[in-house]
C-alpha cells in the first residue's frame, strides 16, 4: 500500500508474496514436531501432537480463512479504508537503513566469548539434570499446610547426603512438592525403595512438615491428612541413558533435517549453513544460561524431557524468522539483480525488521504471562522459550544472515566506516 497499490491489489500481492515464507517456516516447524514425537515419550508426544495440529490449523487460517474474510468484506465495499496501522505502529521500524552486515565482527566476537563462557560452565558446573537423565526417584508429596520449597530442599539434601536431590513446588499454594533423588539408584536391592521412603519420611517428620504416625501411612496416597506421598516414579540408569541418547539424537536430527530442507528449498547451501549455525548458537545459549544459573535462580532449571521439548520448540520457532529473512533475500536477488549482494542482504533484513520484532514481541507477551502466572511446573519450560525467542530473533539478524553471506564466498565491507567517513567530509 505504501508503494501506491490499492487495498485490494495490496491484499492479493501480500498473500501471494508471503505464501512461500509462511509455507517454509511452518513446514520446518512441523519437521521438528515430528522429530519430537518420534523420539519423545509420554507427555512429550502429546505436546508434539498438539503442536503439529496447531501449526497445520494456523497455516490454514493464515493463508485461507483470513483472506476469505477480507475478500468477503471488500466485495461488499467494507474495510476499504483500512490501513493496517496505528499512530504508534505507522512509522515503527519503517524505512530503516541499518548496516547489519557491517556489524558481524562485533557480534561474532560477542557470540564467541559467550560460547567459551558457556563451555567452561558446562565443564565446571554442568547441568542440573533431572532423573530423566541421571536415573532416580520422584516423589510427589502433599502437605497439610503451605511450606517453603527452600526449607524442604535443605532438609532433603541433608537426609540424602552425597546424592543428588531437588525439590520443586507444584501448583501455587505451596502445599505440593516434587522431591527427586538418585539415592542408590544403581542398586538392585529390592529393599532400597523402602529405605529411601523411610529416610524421606524421617527427615520431613523431624522438620515438622509431616506428622503421619508411621512411614506406611506416609506412603499411603489415600491418607492425605498429615502429609503423604501421592505418587512416585522410578527411572533406572539404563532407561535414563536411553532417554539421554534419544534427547541428543532428536536435537541433532532436527538441525540436520532443517539444514537439508533449507538447502533443497532455497537451492543454496549458504542459507542452510547460516540457519543451522544460528540454530546451534540458539541451542548453546539456552543450555549455557541454564548451566550458569541453576542453583541460584528462584525456580527450577532442571534439564528434563520437557526441557528438550522446549529446545526443539525453540528451534522450530527460531527457524521461522530465518526463513522470512532468507525468503526476502531470495526475492530481492531476483527483483534487483544489479544490486551488490551486501546491499541486498542489508535491505532485506531492514525490510523484514518490523515483522520480526512484532512477531517476537507478541510471542513474548504470551510467554511472559505463562512464566509469571503459570505454575512452577511449567516455569522452566516457559523460561527456555523466552530465551529462545529473544536470542532466536537476534541470531536471525546478526548470525544467520552474515554466515550465509560469508558462505557465499563474499567479503563483508565495512559500510559503517564508509558512511561515517562520508558524513565527516
Amino acid at each position: 500500500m505504501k508503494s501506491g497499490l490499492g487495498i485490494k491489489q495490496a491484499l492479493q500481492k501480500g498473500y501471494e508474496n508471503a505464501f512461500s515464507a509462511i509455507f517454509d517456516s511452518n513446514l520446518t516447524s512441523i519437521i521438528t514436531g515430528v522429530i519430537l514425537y518420534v523420539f519423545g515419550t509420554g507427555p512429550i508426544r502429546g505436546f508434539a501432537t498438539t503442536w503439529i495440529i496447531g501449526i497445520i490449523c494456523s497455516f490454514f487460517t493464515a493463508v485461507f480463512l483470513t483472506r476469505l474474510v477480507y475478500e468477503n468484506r471488500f466485495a461488499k465495499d467494507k474495510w476499504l479504508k483500512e490501513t493496517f496501522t496505528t499512530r504508534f505502529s505507522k512509522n515503527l521500524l519503517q524505512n530503516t537503513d541499518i548496516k547489519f552486515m557491517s556489524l558481524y565482527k562485533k557480534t561474532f566476537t560477542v557470540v564467541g566469548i559467550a560460547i567459551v563462557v558457556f563451555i567452561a560452565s558446562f565443564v565446571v558446573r554442568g547441568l542440573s539434570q533431572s532423573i530423566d537423565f541421571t536415573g532416580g526417584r520422584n516423589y510427589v508429596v502433599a502437605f497439610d499446610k503451605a511450606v517453603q520449597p527452600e526449607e524442604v530442599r535443605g532438609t532433603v539434601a541433608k537426609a540424602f547426603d552425597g546424592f543428588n536431590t531437588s525439590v520443586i513446588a507444584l501448583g501455587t499454594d505451596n502445599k505440593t512438592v516434587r522431591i527427586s533423588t538418585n539415592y542408590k539408584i544403581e542398586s538392585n536391592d529390592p529393599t532400597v525403595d523402602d529405605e529411601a521412603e523411610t529416610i524421606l519420611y524421617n527427615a520431613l517428620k523431624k522438620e515438622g512438615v509431616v506428622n503421619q504416625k508411621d512411614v506406611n501411612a506416609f506412603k499411603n496416597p489415600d491418607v492425605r491428612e498429615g502429609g503423604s506421598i501421592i505418587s512416585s516414579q522410578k527411572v533406572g540408569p539404563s532407561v535414563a541413558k536411553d532417554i539421554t541418547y534419544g534427547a541428543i539424537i532428536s536435537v541433532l536430527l532436527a538441525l540436520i533435517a532443517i539444514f537439508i530442507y533449507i538447502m533443497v528449498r532455497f537451492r543454496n547451501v549458504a542459507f542452510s549453513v547460516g540457519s543451522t549455525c544460528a540454530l546451534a548458537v540458539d541451542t548453546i545459549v539456552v543450555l549455557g544460561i541454564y548451566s550458569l544459573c541453576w542453583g541460584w535462580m528462584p525456580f527450577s532449571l532442571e534439564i528434563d524431557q520437557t526441557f528438550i521439548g522446549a529446545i526443539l520448540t525453540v528451534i522450530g520457532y527460531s527457524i521461522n524468522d530465518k526463513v522470512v529473512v532468507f525468503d526476502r533475500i531470495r526475492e530481492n536477488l531476483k527483483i534487483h539483480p544489479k544490486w551488490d549482494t551486501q546491499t541486498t542482504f542489508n535491505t532485506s533484513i531492514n525490510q523484514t525488521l518490523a515483522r520480526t520484532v512484532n512477531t517476537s514481541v507478541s510471542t513474548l507477551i504470551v510467554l511472559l504471562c505463562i512464566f509469571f502466572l503459570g505454575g512452577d511446573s511449567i516455569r522452566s519450560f516457559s523460561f527456555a522459550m523466552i530465551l529462545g525467542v529473544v536470542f532466536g530473533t537476534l541470531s536471525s539478524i546478526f548470525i544467520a544472515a552474515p554466515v550465509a553471506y560469508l558462505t557465499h564466498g563474499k567479503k563483508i565491507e565495512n559500510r559503517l566506516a564508509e558512511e561515517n567517513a562520508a558524513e565527516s567530509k
Side-chain angles (χ1 to χ4, degrees):
M1 291 178 67
K2 288 186 176 180
S3 63
L5 293 176
I7 188 169
K8 293 182 179 179
Q9 293 81 5
L11 183 79
Q12 181 179 355
K13 287 285 186 181
Y15 275 99
E16 289 176 355
N17 294 338
F19 180 82
S20 61
I22 295 172
F23 179 82
D24 290 336
S25 59
N26 279 275
L27 188 55
T28 48
S29 296
I30 288 177
I31 289 172
T32 57
V34 170
I35 292 172
L36 186 59
Y37 178 85
V38 172
F39 289 91
T41 58
I44 299 301
R45 282 193 165 189
F47 168 76
T49 303
T50 305
W51 186 25
I52 292 170
I53 294 172
I55 292 171
I56 294 172
C57 293
S58 176
F59 176 78
F60 177 74
T61 56
V63 302
F64 180 72
L65 288 186
T66 55
R67 184 172 185 174
L68 195 65
V69 171
Y70 278 113
E71 289 181 346
N72 175 269
R73 295 290 86 193
F74 293 161
K76 297 180 180 180
D77 293 330
K78 303 290 185 180
W79 298 358
L80 296 179
K81 295 183 179 181
E82 180 62 56
T83 62
F84 298 99
T85 61
T86 63
R87 291 182 180 179
F88 173 75
S89 65
K90 185 176 182 180
N91 297 313
L92 181 66
L93 299 175
Q94 299 297 317
N95 302 317
T96 56
D97 187 25
I98 304 171
K99 303 297 188 294
F100 288 108
M101 302 298 291
S102 299
L103 299 170
Y104 85 102
K105 288 185 178 180
K106 294 180 180 178
T107 55
F108 283 13
T109 300
V110 172
V111 170
I113 293 172
I115 289 176
V116 170
V117 172
F118 292 148
I119 291 175
S121 180
F122 293 148
V123 174
V124 176
R125 303 192 78 235
L127 293 163
S128 176
Q129 300 181 63
S130 73
I131 67 168
D132 289 343
F133 299 112
T134 63
R137 298 171 176 82
N138 270 338
Y139 301 105
V140 177
V141 181
F143 302 107
D144 282 341
K145 58 183 180 180
V147 298
Q148 293 301 320
E150 292 76 14
E151 297 176 4
V152 179
R153 189 176 296 119
T155 300
V156 172
K158 291 178 182 178
F160 295 101
D161 188 31
F163 297 92
N164 293 334
T165 59
S166 69
V167 177
I168 301 174
L170 301 178
T172 57
D173 58 358
N174 288 332
K175 290 185 178 181
T176 307
V177 299
R178 191 191 75 191
I179 299 172
S180 303
T181 177
N182 64 346
Y183 178 77
K184 294 184 179 180
I185 192 58
E186 296 183 356
S187 174
N188 294 320
D189 189 340
T191 64
V192 172
D193 290 341
D194 292 333
E195 184 180 332
E197 291 165 346
T198 301
I199 293 174
L200 180 62
Y201 165 73
N202 291 332
L204 295 178
K205 184 164 186 176
K206 184 177 179 181
E207 187 67 21
V209 294
V210 167
N211 52 27
Q212 294 282 14
K213 61 180 181 179
D214 55 40
V215 68
N216 290 325
F218 175 66
K219 290 160 53 177
N220 188 348
D222 296 326
V223 183
R224 298 293 182 92
E225 187 176 353
S228 64
I229 296 175
I230 59 176
S231 70
S232 61
Q233 175 193 21
K234 180 180 178 181
V235 177
S238 60
V239 175
K241 289 179 181 178
D242 291 340
I243 293 174
T244 303
Y245 176 78
I248 295 172
I249 292 299
S250 62
V251 174
L252 292 178
L253 277 181
L255 295 176
I256 294 171
I258 288 174
F259 179 92
I260 294 173
Y261 179 79
I262 296 296
M263 183 173 61
V264 172
R265 191 74 173 88
F266 285 82
R267 298 180 182 179
N268 194 318
V269 71
F271 291 136
S272 291
V273 173
S275 59
T276 306
C277 287
L279 292 175
V281 169
D282 296 339
T283 304
I284 292 172
V285 167
V286 176
L287 285 169
I289 291 176
Y290 268 62
S291 175
L292 283 173
C293 298
W294 74 269
W296 55 269
M297 292 290 278
F299 53 91
S300 171
L301 292 180
E302 267 191 352
I303 306 299
D304 54 14
Q305 290 190 78
T306 304
F307 176 82
I308 300 303
I311 288 292
L312 288 175
T313 307
V314 165
I315 291 174
Y317 176 87
S318 182
I319 193 63
N320 287 355
D321 280 338
K322 293 155 184 61
V323 166
V324 169
V325 174
F326 288 159
D327 190 73
R328 182 57 61 87
I329 292 172
R330 179 176 59 179
E331 181 182 336
N332 283 330
L333 285 171
K334 294 179 181 178
I335 297 174
H336 306 286
K338 295 184 179 180
W339 284 3
D340 70 90
T341 308
Q342 185 167 331
T343 299
T344 302
F345 271 65
N346 272 326
T347 302
S348 301
I349 296 172
N350 280 285
Q351 288 175 346
T352 56
L353 188 60
R355 183 268 180 202
T356 299
V357 172
N358 288 335
T359 303
S360 299
V361 170
S362 59
T363 305
L364 276 176
I365 291 173
V366 177
L367 290 173
L368 288 172
C369 290
I370 296 173
F371 180 78
F372 288 109
L373 303 178
D376 291 328
S377 58
I378 61 171
R379 190 152 290 149
S380 179
F381 176 87
S382 57
F383 183 64
M385 287 294 298
I386 290 170
L387 294 177
V389 169
V390 172
F391 290 104
T393 302
L394 295 175
S395 69
S396 301
I397 299 171
F398 296 106
I399 297 176
V403 169
Y405 183 87
L406 293 171
T407 307
H408 271 290
K410 306 287 186 178
K411 181 181 179 181
I412 298 179
E413 300 174 3
N414 191 348
R415 301 282 171 85
L416 283 173
E418 295 174 4
E419 190 177 84
N420 293 334
E423 288 180 356
S424 64
K425 289 181 180 180

